[in-house]
Amino acid sequence: MDGLFIGFSVIAVPVLIGVTVSWTAPDTAKVMRMGITPLVYYIANPLLMVTIVAETDVREVAGVYAPLALGAALLSAAVFALYGVLAKRPVGQIAVGAMSGSYANAGNMGVPIAVYMVGSSAPVVAVLLAQLLVLAPLYITVFGLIRQLEFGRGAARGRVGMIIRSVLNPVTLGVLAGAIVSLVPGDPPEPLWEPVTMIGRAGIPLMLIAFGIALAQQRPFAVRTALADDVVSVLCKLLVMPGAAWALGGPILGLQGAELVGVVAMAALPTAQNVFIFASHHGMPTTTAKDVTFATSVLSLPVVMLVAWLMG
């Protein structure tokens, strides 16, 4: 049980630090946030992905776990997208809501929870591979296309270049580099690996502090027009996505026991702060990203504990 609470405490404490800084020094906090977002996006997060993926057997998780994680996420995103179309929401809001309802916080809290519940980090790496090799480039490409159309820069050449840059974003390149290190025999040189690991690990608390600053600057659920979107996205993340993971992993793929528990628990993790970072960096509306991240971070713990209890 300690793994569950450790996973959630590593989120709560840095977020509270960000909130405190924003309350006590609001002007300084704004400058901090402007600096933290590109630092995490371009440097810390990619190096974190290098270290996490490099320390895992990519062949083991790419077979069943990664496609399963991807399928559950896409089904959850499709449910929100259908709601968004029927509710006639702006396309940017639909994209951010879909990502909020399908992008799990596996990087920093998934590891202790998976180790506690399954005894292996394989389900975590599977989620990371699915998200960072497929979902992140997909959403970033969509965000870029939306921004391009909004500002009237719709030339075909511009679109192709934007799509290439989106697919080859820093985080995805970090995952690819980590996969290469994992597949190549031997260990990387320690004088190089230690600084890479150190900088990568700094990305998680920095991202959480930036999220805490943003949270204090705008209270969650303060925008009433976004409440319906928030609720649907939260339901997608905490109910639809774990349900899809169970259906795909159990009845369809035949997973049982700890393997199935790990898959469902990873799908029930809260929305990642990366959604806010990606949306903010690409000029998308961030209200739903902040609200859903906050709500799922609070509600995910009882959901994961319920999964552990129901599935043994």
Side-chain angles (χ1 to χ4, degrees):
M1 193 63 67
D2 288 344
L4 291 176
F5 292 107
I6 291 173
F8 283 86
S9 67
V10 298
I11 288 181
V13 173
V15 169
L16 288 175
I17 291 174
V19 170
T20 302
V21 171
S22 187
W23 283 345
T24 56
D27 294 335
T28 302
K30 291 179 181 178
V31 176
M32 284 183 179
R33 180 183 164 190
M34 292 176 61
I36 289 175
T37 299
L39 175 64
V40 171
Y41 185 85
Y42 287 108
I43 298 177
N45 242 7
L47 293 182
L48 176 65
M49 295 306 106
V50 171
T51 58
I52 290 178
V53 177
E55 295 170 355
T56 304
D57 187 349
V58 175
R59 299 181 186 88
E60 177 185 348
V61 301
V64 175
Y65 285 120
L68 176 55
L70 178 61
L74 290 176
L75 285 172
S76 183
V79 170
F80 185 90
L82 177 61
Y83 153 79
V85 171
L86 294 176
K88 298 181 180 180
R89 294 294 189 261
V91 65
Q93 180 65 15
I94 294 175
V96 174
M99 189 176 189
S100 300
S102 63
Y103 205 90
N105 190 349
N108 55 335
M109 62 182 302
V111 173
I113 291 176
V115 171
Y116 160 71
M117 299 183 71
V118 185
S120 168
S121 62
V124 179
V125 177
V127 173
L128 290 173
L129 289 176
Q131 291 187 162
L132 297 170
L133 292 181
V134 180
L135 291 180
L138 174 63
Y139 283 121
I140 291 173
T141 299
V142 171
F143 290 169
L145 285 172
I146 293 171
R147 289 293 290 175
Q148 192 177 55
L149 292 174
E150 285 180 350
F151 285 94
R153 298 193 298 270
R157 178 180 297 181
R159 291 185 183 181
V160 171
M162 185 276 304
I163 292 173
I164 293 174
R165 290 192 300 272
S166 299
V167 173
L168 298 179
N169 68 82
V171 176
T172 301
L173 292 177
V175 173
L176 292 173
I180 293 173
V181 175
S182 174
L183 296 172
V184 172
D187 297 325
E190 190 170 345
L192 174 63
W193 194 246
E194 283 301 318
V196 168
T197 302
M198 178 185 66
I199 297 172
R201 288 175 178 171
I204 294 174
L206 287 174
M207 186 191 316
L208 294 169
I209 290 171
F211 177 74
I213 292 172
L215 199 63
Q217 291 174 348
Q218 179 183 330
R219 292 183 295 106
F221 306 108
V223 182
R224 294 187 177 183
T225 56
L227 286 179
D229 296 357
D230 296 346
V231 171
V232 173
S233 189
V234 169
L235 291 176
C236 285
K237 184 67 204 67
L238 297 183
L239 293 181
V240 175
M241 192 167 168
W246 175 84
L248 294 173
I252 296 178
L253 296 178
L255 295 180
Q256 297 179 350
E259 290 183 331
L260 184 58
V261 172
V263 168
V264 177
M266 293 301 101
L269 291 175
T271 299
Q273 285 78 18
N274 301 59
V275 179
F276 169 76
I277 294 293
F278 290 159
S280 178
H281 182 79
H282 290 275
M284 294 291 99
T286 59
T287 298
T288 294
K290 287 186 290 186
D291 291 349
V292 174
T293 300
F294 174 79
T296 55
S297 296
V298 174
L299 299 174
S300 178
L301 176 58
V303 173
V304 172
M305 293 180 69
L306 181 63
V307 167
W309 178 66
L310 291 176
M311 303 184 68

